[in-house]
């Protein structure tokens, strides 16, 4: 390292060329790097999906899901299997062990499904197994009109989708409410019976009306060459006149059917601002820049609006807005922190050192951006989180090197020589301090699951930033210091402060035993008491720009009925538009989304996306400084004066009262959250018998309802459409009727599928056949079965109708049925407090030994976080201890420095108490990072005093570290001050982290300046 320092200081032209090249490359990287809220996840999961139209959840479980679960249960590498079974479809999520080969396990699962295939219904497609794909949502576009038909809107939406598909890095373009072009033939069963015809023979005849398949190719020798095919372009009026010959009888299709050409009824319906609409979902690839792509989509939206004057086009759920807000926050915090750092350095040292440090810090960030880009990483919330944590270390490195070079210049050394000597002198402690910080975070890579996938980017970003800081501090900063620092620019006189400091430490060392005994008793007691009294949440509440309102209606609710209720609720929300600063409202019926962004489909579901107007700045920094330093000059247009979580509470009260007129199964109003869990309280109930589970669920819900602060209490044990089982009576058996005959004949009766295909000038279409009144139970009872003898008998006379209860959905975990009870909580209570009050009920249920209750939600995440963060902390302390041993080669000195880490937690607890905040996951990440940051100053202090044997010598060396330690602490606090005291919007998520670092470092400064010399004097028996 010394040779590298001398090489680059001795070649200033090469140094500056490399410096400007890296700066330029870093800026280009920042412009071109993908920018997103969360990074794409390489999830260790496999998805299995299957479909069988008309099958009940119970039937589908028995005939397919259970068999697949049994078949793949012995496949090595599988951690767990979660199954969700609904009417006509099922999905299974297979979570893999961390060490498993995904492709190998996938192939084994496919082989298992192939072995099960012969046991599945012959007309059921083979279930499909694929690697779990993580899409990156970008924006949703709404297309609506007061005058155009929905079919016309579909054509416009398709053209718009085709236009967007030309934009690079856009993917997963999907139109909600699109449907398929069909010719729908509706048979009149009574007329068929009057003609003496069956549905089966009619279906066969209709299947021959239209065909799209080619016949062949004509190649006449020396003559005409041509392809030959059928005309396949019949319009509805032509089909009505089509002559059919069935069972020796001739008739026109129009005699027994009606025909309509249209788009099919879709699984979802949508409206925007009270108008019937279509919604176009737009996602992006990993490489795409969210902000740039969102801007291009909005340009196409504007073009579409100009092209179709009668069409209203709007955007919602624009994720680039959140990315922009977070980027603005971090960029402005970094720049404002630099200004404060420069001001502090100017006031406490001198203006030239201030300039050297200010040059060094952004240089480190820009170099790190280049490295992150080369590594294939994006700019997202987690990498920005790492950048904020690393600010303190970057500032520390620059200050220590620059201050030491200035000290040698003041002692008479030439600037170039001072740059070499001053830098080389602090290489070891700076390297040790940097690597201890890296080691403090590196073990976070062991964290598992989706949370671990996100968090792992923090240590990666911090490590890259610290390495970039070392490059800047040892290669570029010395050359800048040699050219900018001057002997005449004396540093600010610190003699009075040093005298006060020395006198104070002298007294503590004199009474070292009493001092340390008091310290070792009092500080741990305060830490333990502080944590015991603190509340904990995964993430703090924060202000956002969107509300989500979702509802689940009784299972028998049709899509049209669901959409009618959704439109009524939409009208009520629009009535409150001005009161709650609502920008726009979009409704999608047949779909809803939970807080984790997971979608659910069903005719009885709907979801309202409510975009809020952007909030006005609520403090001086966000009002005057952030817009300028982040170049976000749109702040003047912000209107909202309420926090989104205040709107959430008030809007919930109003809408719950409004929805009381309708029968609902579950109704939720949720503001923005971090998307870690779908509900704060999630309890999983496992039982061998359904009735036992129902009783336990009812008890848990009653107990939750009696706890103050809980709301939106519900469960997923919802009864669905009952299954009517047809049991052949003895009389029916005598007549030769069996279950196979019933399945074949009635299957044709309930048929609603494609019987033929065609295409016209507008494209491809299906010919769909269904029967009129086939949804009538009475019609089913009176359905006439034709016997082998030719006679007919009513279905009610030969079949017993047995109605069986069905769940709307069946949920399973590792082959066992699982029910979930969930609840939201108010902002003034934590999930831990709710579960504490709920514990007696859960203990009573467990004591009966019939039902087992497991935990999900924040409880599950908290337990995993505590378990894995504890392991990461232990590994971090070990790595730091090894680094200290390498540097000092002394267990005694290593333990002295390491003892600072647990005591620094008092600053974390005190900081959260002073700020009136709950502890959270960002708090814990900040506390873990604090270990590395606090130890940095401890290394610098102990490296200077470790060879002293007398009190005066120790004090003389300690005072030389007063200025750099105080400076690094003050500048780090200055850099974090806006985030600690003036967070706004989604930056509130990062506030606990800044509080942990800021207040922890403030207390850690006292530990390193006072406690550490006192402890060293005690252990080393300094005289």
């Amino acid at each position: 390292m010394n040779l590298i320092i001398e090489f680059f200081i001795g070649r200033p032209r090469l140094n500056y060329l490399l410096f400007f090249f890296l700066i330029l490359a870093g800026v280009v990287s920042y412009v071109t790097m993908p920018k997103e809220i969360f990074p794409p996840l390489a999830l260790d999961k496999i998805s299995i999906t299957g479909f069988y139209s008309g099958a009940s959840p119970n039937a589908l479980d028995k005939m397919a899901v259970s068999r697949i679960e049994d078949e793949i249960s012995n496949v090595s590498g599988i951690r767990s299997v979660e199954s969700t079974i609904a009417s006509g479809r099922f999905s299974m999520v297979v979570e893999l062990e961390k060490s498993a080969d995904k492709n190998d396990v996938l192939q084994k699962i496919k082989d298992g499904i192939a072995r099960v295939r012969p046991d599945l219904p012959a007309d059921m497609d083979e279930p499909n197994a694929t690697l779990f794909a993580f899409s990156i949502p970008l924006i949703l576009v709404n297309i609506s009109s007061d005058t155009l038909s929905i079919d016309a809107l579909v054509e416009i939406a398709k053209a718009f989708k085709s236009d967007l598909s030309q934009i690079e890095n856009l993917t997963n373009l999907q139109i909600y409410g699109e449907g398929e072009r069909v010719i729908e033939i509706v048979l009149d069963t009574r007329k068929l019976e009057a003609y003496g015809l069956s549905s089966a023979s009619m279906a066969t005849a209709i299947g021959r009306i239209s065909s799209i398949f080619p016949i062949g190719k004509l190649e006449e020798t020396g003559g005409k060459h041509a392809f030959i095919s059928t005309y396949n372009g019949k319009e509805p009026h032509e089909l009505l006149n089509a002559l059919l010959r069935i069972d020796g009888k001739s008739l026109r299709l129009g005699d027994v059917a009606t025909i309509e050409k249209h788009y099919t009824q879709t699984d979802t319906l949508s409206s925007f601002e009270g108008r019937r609409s279509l919604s176009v979902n737009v996602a992006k690839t990993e490489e795409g820049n969210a902000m740039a792509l969102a801007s291009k989509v909005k340009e196409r939206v504007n073009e579409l609006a100009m092209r179709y004057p009668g069409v209203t086009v709007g955007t919602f759920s624009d994720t680039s807005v959140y990315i922009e807000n977070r980027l603005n926050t971090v960029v402005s915090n970094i720049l404002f922190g630099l200004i404060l750092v420069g001001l502090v350095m100017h006031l406490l040292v001198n203006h030239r050192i201030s300039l050297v440090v200010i040059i060094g810090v952004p240089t480190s960030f820009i170099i790190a951006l280049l490295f992150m880009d080369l590594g294939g990483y994006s700019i997202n919330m987690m990498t920005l989180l790492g950048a904020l944590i690393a600010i303190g270390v970057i500032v520390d490195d620059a200050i220590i090197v620059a201050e030491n070079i200035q000290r040698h210049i003041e002692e008479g050394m030439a600037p170039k020589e001072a740059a070499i000597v001053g830098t080389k002198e602090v290489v070891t402690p700076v390297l040790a301090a940097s690597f201890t910080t890296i080691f403090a975070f590196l073990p976070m890579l062991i964290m598992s699951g989706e949370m671990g996938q996100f968090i792992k980017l923090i240590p990666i970003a911090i490590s890259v930033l610290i390495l970039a800081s070392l490059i800047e501090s040892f290669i570029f900063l010395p050359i800048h210091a040699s050219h900018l620092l001057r002997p005449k620019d004396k540093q600010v006189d610190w003699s009075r402060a040093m005298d006060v400091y020395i006198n104070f430490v002298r007294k503590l060392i004199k009474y070292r035993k009493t001092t340390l005994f008091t310290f070792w008793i009092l500080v741990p007691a305060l830490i333990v008491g502080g944590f015991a009294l603190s509340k904990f949440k995964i993430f703090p509440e924060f202000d956002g720009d969107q509300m989500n309102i979702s509802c689940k209606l009784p299972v028998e609710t049709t899509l049209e009925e669901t959409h009618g209720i959704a439109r009524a609720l939409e009208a009520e929300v629009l009535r409150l538009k001005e009161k709650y600063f609502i920008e726009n409202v979009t409704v999608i019926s047949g779909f809803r989304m939970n807080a984790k962004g997971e979608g659910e489909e069903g005719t009885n579901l709907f979801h309202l996306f409510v975009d809020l107007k952007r909030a006005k700045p609520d403090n001086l920094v966000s009002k005057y400084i952030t817009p300028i330093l982040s170049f976000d000059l749109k702040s003047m247009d912000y209107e909202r004066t309420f926090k989104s979580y205040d709107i959430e509470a008030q809007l919930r009260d109003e809408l719950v009262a409004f929805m009381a007129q309708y029968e609902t199964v579950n109704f939720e109003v949720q503001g923005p959250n971090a998307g870690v869990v779908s509900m704060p309280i999630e309890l999983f109930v496992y039982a061998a018998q359904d009735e036992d589970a129902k009783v336990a669920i009812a008890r848990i819900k009653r107990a939750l309802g009696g706890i103050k602060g809980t709301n939106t209490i519900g469960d997923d044990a919802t009864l669905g459409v009952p299954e009517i089982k047809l049991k052949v009576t003895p009389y029916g058996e005598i007549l030769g009727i069996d279950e196979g005959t019933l399945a074949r004949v009635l299957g044709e009766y309930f048929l609603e599928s494609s019987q033929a295909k065609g295409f016209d000038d507008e494209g491809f279409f299906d010919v769909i056949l269904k029967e009129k009144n086939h949804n009538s139970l009475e019609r089913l009872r009176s359905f006439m079965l034709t016997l082998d003898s030719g006679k007919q008998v009513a279905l009610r006379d030969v079949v017993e109708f047995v109605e069986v209860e069905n769940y709307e959905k069946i949920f399973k975990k590792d082959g066992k049925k699982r029910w979930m009870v969930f609840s939201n909580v108010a902002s003034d209570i934590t999930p831990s407090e709710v579960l504490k009050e709920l514990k007696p009920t859960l203990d009573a249920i467990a004591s009966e030994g019939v039902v087992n209750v497991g935990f999900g939600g924040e409880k599950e995440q908290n337990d995993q976080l505590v378990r894995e963060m504890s392991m990461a902390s232990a590994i971090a302390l070990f790595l730091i201890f090894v680094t200290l041993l390498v540097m000092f080669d002394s267990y005694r000195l290593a333990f002295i420095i390491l003892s600072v880490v647990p005591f620094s937690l008092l600053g974390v607890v005190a900081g959260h108490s002073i700020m009136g905040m709950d502890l959270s996951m960002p708090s814990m990440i900040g506390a873990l990072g604090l270990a590395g940051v606090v130890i940095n100053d401890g290394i610098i202090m102990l490296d200077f005093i470790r060879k002293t044997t007398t009190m005066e010598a120790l004090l003389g060396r300690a005072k030389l570290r007063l200025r750099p330690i105080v400076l690094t602490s003050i500048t780090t606090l200055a850099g974090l001050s806006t985030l600690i005291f003036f967070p706004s919007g989604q930056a509130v998520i990062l506030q606990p982290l800044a509080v942990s670092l800021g207040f922890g470092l403030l207390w850690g400064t006292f530990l390193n300046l006072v406690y550490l010399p006192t402890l060293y004097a005690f252990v080393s028996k300094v005289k």
Side-chain angles (χ1 to χ4, degrees):
M1 181 59 72
N2 290 338
L3 292 176
I4 294 175
I5 292 170
E6 292 179 7
F7 177 84
F8 281 102
I9 293 178
R11 291 167 176 78
R13 292 181 179 83
L14 175 64
N15 196 311
Y16 277 107
L17 176 64
L18 182 60
F19 174 77
F20 287 114
F21 171 77
L22 290 176
I23 293 295
L24 179 61
V27 171
V28 172
S29 293
Y30 175 78
V31 173
T32 58
M33 282 177 72
K35 299 175 181 67
E36 53 207 3
I37 296 181
F38 291 114
L41 295 182
L43 295 176
D44 297 327
K45 293 182 179 180
I46 291 172
S47 172
I48 305 173
T49 55
F51 302 89
Y52 192 51
S53 180
S56 69
N58 277 330
L60 203 52
D61 181 26
K62 293 173 183 176
M63 75 171 66
V65 177
S66 291
R67 296 187 180 188
I68 294 173
E69 288 172 337
D70 291 341
E71 188 64 37
I72 68 175
S73 61
N74 294 323
V75 174
S76 59
I78 292 180
R79 184 176 180 180
S80 66
V81 179
E82 293 194 17
S83 306
T84 302
I85 312 160
S87 174
R89 65 185 187 276
F90 68 85
S91 64
M92 303 167 67
V93 177
V94 182
E95 186 175 354
L96 308 182
E97 299 286 354
K98 212 169 184 180
S99 58
D101 183 329
K102 288 188 285 189
N103 292 312
D104 180 58
V105 176
L106 175 62
Q107 187 56 52
K108 290 178 179 177
I109 289 175
K110 287 183 175 181
D111 292 342
I113 293 173
R115 289 191 293 271
V116 170
R117 181 67 188 88
D119 297 329
L120 301 180
D123 56 344
M124 178 182 181
D125 292 334
E126 183 171 315
N128 185 38
T130 58
L131 291 174
F132 205 88
F134 181 83
S135 61
I136 308 172
L138 178 65
I139 195 171
L140 283 163
V141 180
N142 243 303
I143 302 174
S144 62
S145 175
D146 292 324
T147 56
L148 297 180
S149 67
I150 194 64
D151 287 0
L153 287 180
V154 169
E155 294 301 324
I156 294 172
K158 283 185 172 181
F160 179 62
K161 175 183 173 182
S162 177
D163 190 25
L164 290 182
S165 66
Q166 305 303 313
I167 300 176
E168 188 178 4
N169 292 323
L170 288 185
T171 185
N172 195 29
L173 301 172
Q174 181 181 359
I175 302 175
Y176 290 124
E178 173 183 2
E180 298 292 338
R181 293 178 64 248
V182 299
I183 288 181
E184 187 175 78
I185 302 174
V186 182
L187 296 176
D188 190 319
T189 311
R190 296 187 186 279
K191 290 183 178 180
L192 277 179
E193 292 174 352
Y195 276 98
L197 299 175
S198 67
S199 301
S201 58
M202 197 69 192
T204 301
I206 290 173
R208 296 194 297 265
I209 290 178
S210 178
S211 173
I212 64 170
F213 299 109
I215 294 174
K217 184 179 180 182
L218 178 70
E219 298 181 355
E220 187 178 6
T221 304
K224 188 176 182 63
H225 286 213
F227 292 103
I228 300 176
S229 66
T230 56
Y231 187 70
N232 61 60
K234 292 184 173 64
E235 291 296 322
H237 68 276
E238 295 176 294
L239 287 172
L240 284 172
N241 291 321
L243 182 65
L244 304 177
R245 289 181 174 83
I246 307 171
D247 298 337
K249 300 174 182 178
S250 298
L251 70 158
R252 302 285 178 182
L253 181 59
D255 295 336
V256 293
T258 59
I259 300 177
E260 183 181 357
K261 189 174 185 179
H262 63 93
Y263 280 90
T264 58
Q265 172 68 64
T266 64
D267 294 332
T268 58
L269 296 173
S270 178
S271 71
F272 178 72
E273 292 290 276
R275 295 182 295 273
R276 179 79 164 84
S277 72
L278 297 174
S279 295
V280 183
N281 177 67
V282 184
K284 77 176 194 70
T285 62
E286 293 183 27
E287 297 79 17
N289 185 321
M291 292 193 294
L293 289 173
S295 179
K296 289 182 180 180
V297 171
K298 290 174 183 176
E299 287 177 9
R300 301 299 170 91
V301 165
N302 293 334
E303 293 172 4
L304 181 67
M306 294 177 64
R307 197 182 315 154
Y308 300 98
V311 174
T312 302
V313 189
T315 59
F316 64 103
S317 291
D318 182 1
T319 59
S320 69
V321 173
Y322 309 138
I323 300 168
E324 183 181 12
N325 286 344
R326 288 170 185 172
L327 275 177
N328 288 343
T329 299
V330 176
V331 170
S332 63
N333 271 272
I334 291 173
L335 292 178
F336 188 55
L338 278 177
I339 293 171
L340 292 178
V341 166
L343 182 61
V344 169
M345 294 293 292
H346 176 74
L347 295 175
L348 299 181
V349 190
N350 68 46
H351 66 283
R352 289 185 179 272
I353 288 184
S354 172
L355 181 59
V356 170
V357 172
I358 286 178
I359 293 172
V361 176
T363 300
S364 299
F365 275 100
I366 292 173
I367 294 173
L369 278 172
L370 174 61
F371 292 161
M372 293 289 287
D373 190 22
L374 293 174
Y377 295 101
S378 63
I379 297 176
N380 54 68
M381 191 181 91
M382 306 315 288
T383 51
L384 293 177
L385 200 59
L388 281 172
I389 297 172
I391 287 178
V393 183
I394 294 172
V395 172
D396 287 0
D397 291 348
I399 289 174
I400 290 169
V401 175
E403 193 269 345
N404 208 46
I405 293 172
Q406 177 65 32
R407 183 168 63 84
H408 283 293
I409 290 175
E410 290 179 6
E411 292 173 355
M413 198 175 286
K416 184 175 180 180
E417 184 183 0
I420 295 173
V421 173
T423 304
K424 290 165 65 175
E425 195 173 54
V426 295
V427 163
T428 301
V430 168
L431 281 175
S434 297
F435 280 105
T436 52
T437 303
I438 291 176
F439 292 152
F441 288 96
L442 208 58
M444 292 171 66
L445 294 174
I446 70 169
M447 298 188 72
S448 61
E450 295 180 25
M451 182 72 75
Q453 288 281 331
F454 285 127
I455 290 179
K456 76 175 185 179
L457 288 176
I458 296 176
I460 291 173
I462 289 172
S463 299
V464 170
L465 279 160
I466 290 175
L467 292 175
S469 174
L470 291 176
I471 292 172
E472 205 287 327
S473 298
F474 293 149
I475 294 178
F476 300 125
L477 188 146
I479 199 72
H480 299 154
S482 68
H483 291 159
L484 293 174
L485 302 184
R486 295 289 183 270
K488 62 180 181 179
D489 294 314
K490 299 292 184 181
Q491 298 188 55
V492 174
D493 185 10
W494 280 61
S495 58
R496 292 184 61 185
M498 288 180 179
D499 290 341
V500 173
Y501 167 65
I502 291 300
N503 291 333
F504 180 63
V505 175
R506 180 181 283 110
K507 290 179 181 179
L508 295 181
I509 293 177
K510 184 177 179 180
Y511 302 103
R512 65 193 75 172
K513 291 183 179 180
T514 303
T515 299
L516 292 173
F517 180 78
T518 304
F519 188 88
W520 289 336
I521 295 297
L522 183 61
V523 173
L526 291 173
I527 292 173
V528 172
F531 275 107
L533 294 174
S534 298
K535 297 179 181 180
F536 186 87
K537 289 183 177 180
I538 286 282
F539 284 103
E541 277 189 319
F542 62 92
D543 186 36
D545 296 327
Q546 190 178 75
M547 304 291 298
N548 289 287
I549 304 170
S550 63
C551 184
K552 185 175 187 178
L553 299 168
V555 67
E556 63 272 10
T557 312
T558 66
L559 183 61
E560 291 78 8
E561 291 169 340
T562 297
H563 196 56
I565 297 172
R567 292 290 298 272
L569 181 63
E570 177 189 29
E572 177 66 11
V573 174
L574 289 174
R575 186 183 67 80
L576 303 169
K577 192 171 183 178
E578 296 302 321
K579 180 178 180 180
Y580 293 123
F581 299 93
I582 293 171
E583 184 74 31
N584 57 59
V585 181
T586 300
V587 175
I588 296 181
S589 299
F591 165 89
R592 74 168 180 172
M593 187 174 67
N594 65 21
K596 292 180 69 175
E598 299 168 338
E600 179 184 6
E601 296 180 355
T603 61
N604 58 328
L605 308 174
F606 68 80
H607 193 103
L608 271 67
F609 296 91
V610 180
D611 283 345
L612 304 177
K613 294 181 178 178
R614 299 184 71 177
K616 285 187 175 182
D618 55 1
N619 57 65
L620 294 176
V621 171
S622 59
K623 185 174 184 179
Y624 297 110
I625 296 174
T626 299
I628 297 173
L629 295 182
S630 64
F631 310 105
D632 179 25
L633 301 179
K634 301 187 295 296
S635 302
M636 303 302 292
D637 299 328
Y638 298 178
E639 300 179 34
R640 179 161 52 88
T641 56
F642 291 152
K643 300 291 186 185
S644 60
Y645 42 81
D646 292 329
I647 292 177
E648 175 187 350
Q650 296 177 41
L651 190 60
R652 180 186 292 115
D653 290 341
E654 294 207 37
L655 296 186
V656 165
F658 176 81
M659 291 297 291
Q661 62 185 300
Y662 303 105
E663 183 183 357
T664 62
V665 176
N666 176 241
F667 181 69
E668 299 175 11
V669 178
Q670 288 188 325
N673 59 47
V676 177
V677 294
S678 57
M679 277 287 183
I681 303 293
E682 292 178 351
L683 299 167
F684 298 123
V685 175
Y686 299 88
Q689 301 298 324
D690 291 3
E691 288 303 317
D692 293 330
K694 287 182 183 178
V695 172
I697 289 169
R699 289 172 64 182
I700 294 171
K701 289 174 68 175
R702 280 197 303 271
L704 280 171
I707 299 174
K708 183 181 178 182
T710 57
N711 58 68
T712 320
I713 300 169
D715 63 77
D716 59 11
T718 308
L719 291 178
V721 176
E723 185 173 0
I724 298 176
K725 291 184 174 292
L726 305 180
K727 183 179 181 181
V728 181
T729 63
Y731 174 60
E733 291 176 345
I734 293 173
L735 295 177
I737 296 171
D738 54 33
E739 291 187 359
T741 303
L742 291 177
R744 176 176 54 81
V745 175
L746 292 177
E748 294 169 354
Y749 170 72
F750 282 101
L751 183 67
E752 186 175 344
S753 60
S754 175
Q755 293 299 301
K757 300 182 185 295
F759 55 82
D760 54 19
D761 293 340
E762 297 178 21
F764 183 86
F765 61 82
D766 278 338
V767 178
I768 300 294
L769 177 66
K770 67 180 183 181
E771 297 209 28
K772 185 179 180 181
N773 299 322
H774 76 277
N775 284 323
S776 167
L777 180 59
E778 183 55 37
R779 178 74 185 93
L780 176 65
R781 290 179 180 276
S782 59
F783 185 87
M784 302 302 293
L785 288 171
T786 302
L787 302 176
D788 292 339
S789 62
K791 294 182 179 180
Q792 292 186 320
V793 60
L795 187 64
R796 65 163 64 91
D797 296 332
V798 293
V799 165
E800 180 183 350
F801 290 72
V802 181
E803 188 169 301
V804 178
E805 191 177 76
N806 241 330
Y807 283 105
E808 182 182 4
K809 288 185 178 180
I810 296 175
F811 300 92
K812 302 174 76 178
K813 176 73 177 287
D814 295 329
K816 297 178 181 178
K817 278 188 178 181
R818 183 230 73 194
W819 294 263
M820 182 172 71
V821 180
F822 53 83
S823 173
N824 208 337
V825 298
S827 59
D828 57 348
I829 190 171
T830 66
S832 298
E833 291 175 304
V834 172
L835 290 177
K836 186 176 180 180
E837 291 192 48
L838 189 64
K839 191 175 185 301
T841 301
L842 299 181
D843 288 343
I845 292 173
S847 66
E848 295 166 6
V850 178
V851 173
N852 292 322
V853 179
F855 295 96
E858 288 202 15
K859 167 68 172 173
E860 180 185 34
Q861 294 295 332
N862 289 348
D863 290 346
Q864 179 180 335
L865 183 66
V866 169
R867 183 172 61 251
E868 295 185 344
M869 287 291 278
S870 298
M871 187 181 299
S873 299
I875 297 173
L877 289 175
F878 175 75
L879 292 175
I880 291 171
F881 186 66
V882 170
T883 305
L884 296 174
L885 277 180
V886 170
M887 179 177 179
F888 294 111
D889 193 26
S890 167
Y891 285 116
R892 176 171 55 87
L893 297 180
F895 277 119
I896 287 174
I897 295 181
L898 210 59
S899 69
V900 173
V901 174
F903 291 132
S904 66
L905 292 177
L906 180 59
V908 175
V909 177
H912 282 75
S913 178
I914 292 170
M915 298 298 296
M917 297 170 54
D918 294 332
L919 292 171
S920 60
M921 189 189 77
S923 308
M924 298 299 99
I925 295 174
L928 187 58
L930 179 65
V933 176
V934 168
I935 277 182
N936 292 349
D937 288 339
I939 290 172
I940 301 299
M941 173 60 77
L942 196 59
D943 187 50
F944 265 63
I945 67 173
R946 61 174 168 164
K947 294 181 181 178
T948 59
T949 57
T950 66
M951 182 188 297
E952 293 306 318
L954 186 153
L955 295 175
R957 295 291 290 174
K959 74 176 183 179
L960 294 177
R961 293 296 88 199
L962 175 66
R963 181 165 57 189
I965 289 176
V966 170
L967 284 176
T968 55
S969 299
I970 292 177
T971 51
T972 302
L973 284 170
L976 294 171
S977 61
T978 54
L979 201 53
I980 293 175
F981 301 107
F982 304 107
S984 59
Q986 296 176 351
V988 173
I989 294 178
L990 307 179
Q991 187 185 17
L993 183 147
V995 169
S996 291
L997 281 176
F999 284 90
L1001 184 58
L1002 187 64
W1003 170 243
T1005 302
F1006 174 82
L1007 293 175
N1008 285 313
L1009 288 175
V1010 176
Y1011 164 75
L1012 199 61
T1014 306
L1015 180 60
Y1016 175 80
F1018 173 74
V1019 173
S1020 301
K1021 299 179 181 179
V1022 171
K1023 299 179 182 178

